[in-house]
Amino acid sequence: WNAIANILDSNYVPVFKHWRLNSRHLGKLQGKTKAEIIGANGEEQVADWIQNFESSPPPLSSNEVKIDKRLKKVLPINVPLHESLKDMFDRVGAYFHDAISPQVTRNKKVVIVGHGSSLKAIINILEGIPEKVEGPEIIAGVPLVYELNEKLKAIKSYSLESRESEMGSKIAEDTVDKTTTEGKNSFWSKEMREMQIYSADQIIVPEDAPTILKNYCKEVIRANPSNIVVFSKDYFEKILVNRKGKKQAIII
C-alpha cells in the first residue's frame, strides 16, 4: 500500500491493519515446504487438509505459539492453533461485515491488501459465491476492482491492469502522430529508430515498477508518439477522468 500511496500522493489516507485478514492458519504445517509435508503425511492426507472445506491440519501446541508482542493487545484471548477453510472464511467474513462494509456504504473507496486465501473469501462475499466453491484466481500485485450496488453485491469487476492497458491503447490511437517520425521534431534519435526492436516485449521494464508505470512504458513504446509530453498528458488525464464518479468501489 505504501508504494501505491506514494504514487497517488495519498499518504494521508488512513490505514487499518487487522489479524482477521491474515491467511489461513495451517497449524503444524506452517513454515514447512510442500515436499516436507507430503513426505511426512502422504499426498492424500495433505490434499484433504488443504482442499476439504471443513478439514483442519494438526494444531500447534500451546508452547509452539509465537505471537509478535505488537499483536498481543489486539489478538483474541484464544488464539487459533489451526484453521479449516471454513474457519478462515468465517473470520474474514466477520471483519468484512464489521469494518469494511460500513466504509463502503458511506461511499468510501476501500483498498484491501491481504493474502490470496483471505481475499478469495471477500470475493466470494461480493459475488455471492457459496463458501465451498472456489472463487476466481487472484494474480499477485494486480489490483482487482469491484463496483458494488447498494446491497454491496458486485455489479462489475475488472483488473485495473487490463483496464488501464485498454485505455492506453485507445489513447495511443487518439494521440499518435500518424506521420513519419523521421522529421526534425521526432522524439527518437536516428540510432534509436534503427535499433532492431519489433515488439514492446523486447523492452525490459523492471518487475518492481508500479503497474501504472509499466503500462505507461509499454504504451509509449508501442505508440512511439511524436510528442511524448502531449501523449503523457492525455494518457494520465484520461485515467483520472475514468476514475471519477464511482461511488462505491473495493480494490483488492
Side-chain angles (χ1 to χ4, degrees), residues 164-220:
E164 291 183 349
S165 179
E166 291 170 6
M167 288 177 60
S169 298
K170 181 63 171 63
I171 294 167
E173 292 172 5
D174 293 341
T175 62
V176 171
D177 184 355
K178 302 299 182 180
T179 60
T180 177
T181 60
E182 291 292 334
K184 62 180 180 179
N185 293 324
S186 171
F187 172 75
W188 307 106
S189 67
K190 183 175 183 296
E191 291 75 17
M192 291 174 70
R193 293 197 303 273
E194 291 177 351
M195 289 176 65
Q196 299 300 303
I197 300 295
Y198 304 102
S199 165
D201 294 336
Q202 292 176 260
I203 308 298
I204 300 175
V205 179
E207 285 299 321
D208 58 350
T211 298
I212 192 170
L213 178 59
K214 289 192 283 187
N215 288 338
Y216 168 74
C217 291
K218 290 175 183 177
E219 289 305 323
V220 170

Side-chain angles (χ1 to χ4, degrees), residues 225-245:
S226 60
N227 190 325
I228 195 168
V229 176
V230 173
F231 175 87
S232 301
K233 177 177 179 292
D234 288 346
Y235 183 89
F236 290 109
E237 276 186 355
K238 290 189 179 182
I239 287 177
L240 289 172
V241 168
N242 186 65
R243 289 178 178 177
K244 290 180 180 178

Side-chain angles (χ1 to χ4, degrees), residues 56-169:
S56 302
L60 292 173
S61 60
S62 57
N63 61 353
E64 289 178 301
V65 177
K66 297 179 181 179
I67 302 176
D68 189 313
K69 62 181 180 181
R70 295 170 297 178
L71 300 177
K72 287 184 177 180
K73 292 183 180 180
V74 298
L75 286 173
I77 296 175
N78 297 316
V79 177
L81 301 177
H82 62 159
E83 286 181 310
S84 64
L85 281 171
K86 183 181 187 306
D87 295 331
M88 185 203 66
F89 269 63
D90 290 344
R91 160 169 59 81
V92 175
Y95 186 72
F96 176 83
H97 293 297
D98 293 345
I100 298 175
S101 61
Q103 296 293 326
V104 181
T105 55
R106 289 198 288 269
N107 290 336
K108 301 289 186 181
K109 293 182 176 64
V110 180
V111 178
I112 304 173
V113 181
H115 295 269
S117 56
S118 56
L119 294 180
K120 282 186 177 182
I122 293 176
I123 287 175
N124 278 29
I125 294 172
L126 297 177
E127 296 195 2
I129 301 173
E131 286 185 337
K132 295 184 180 181
V133 178
E134 181 76 8
E137 190 62 32
I138 296 176
I139 303 174
V142 178
L144 186 60
V145 180
Y146 276 85
E147 295 177 18
L148 312 175
N149 61 19
E150 65 280 359
K151 295 182 179 180
L152 302 189
K153 295 302 180 184
I155 54 177
K156 187 176 184 181
S157 66
Y158 52 87
S159 160
L160 198 57
E161 183 177 53
S162 63
R163 169 62 66 90
E164 291 183 349
S165 179
E166 291 170 6
M167 288 177 60
S169 298

Side-chain angles (χ1 to χ4, degrees), residues 1-8 10-15 111-113:
W1 165 249
N2 289 339
I4 298 173
N6 287 335
I7 294 170
L8 299 178
S10 300
N11 288 295
Y12 58 87
V13 173
V15 176
V111 178
I112 304 173
V113 181

